[in-house]
Amino acid sequence: MNVSVNGEAVAVVPGTSLQTLVASITHAPSGVAAALNESVVPRGQWPAATLTDGDRVEVLTAVQGG
């Protein structure tokens, strides 16, 4: 099945959780936020947030600097 991740189509296995998807994108231990279909999902809910075909995911990582 396909989902949109940061505006790009990505094929994922049915039943993939938001946590699994985020982990495949970044290994940052903190400073990561995720939204599913324009709604921010608290980090503690990522394992239970199962992706479905056509979902839109945005993953943001905080970067330090100036």
Side-chain angles (χ1 to χ4, degrees):
M1 78 179 179
N2 290 304
V3 298
S4 172
V5 179
N6 295 341
E8 299 204 16
V10 175
V12 297
V13 176
T16 299
S17 71
L18 182 58
Q19 179 173 325
T20 300
L21 179 66
V22 172
S24 74
I25 294 170
T26 180
H27 298 288
S30 62
V32 178
L36 178 58
N37 299 321
E38 288 83 38
S39 294
V40 174
V41 179
R43 190 179 203 117
Q45 294 177 11
W46 292 0
T50 304
L51 303 175
T52 59
D53 193 44
D55 278 346
R56 295 171 313 281
V57 178
E58 294 293 326
V59 178
L60 305 169
T61 305
V63 178
Q64 186 175 357

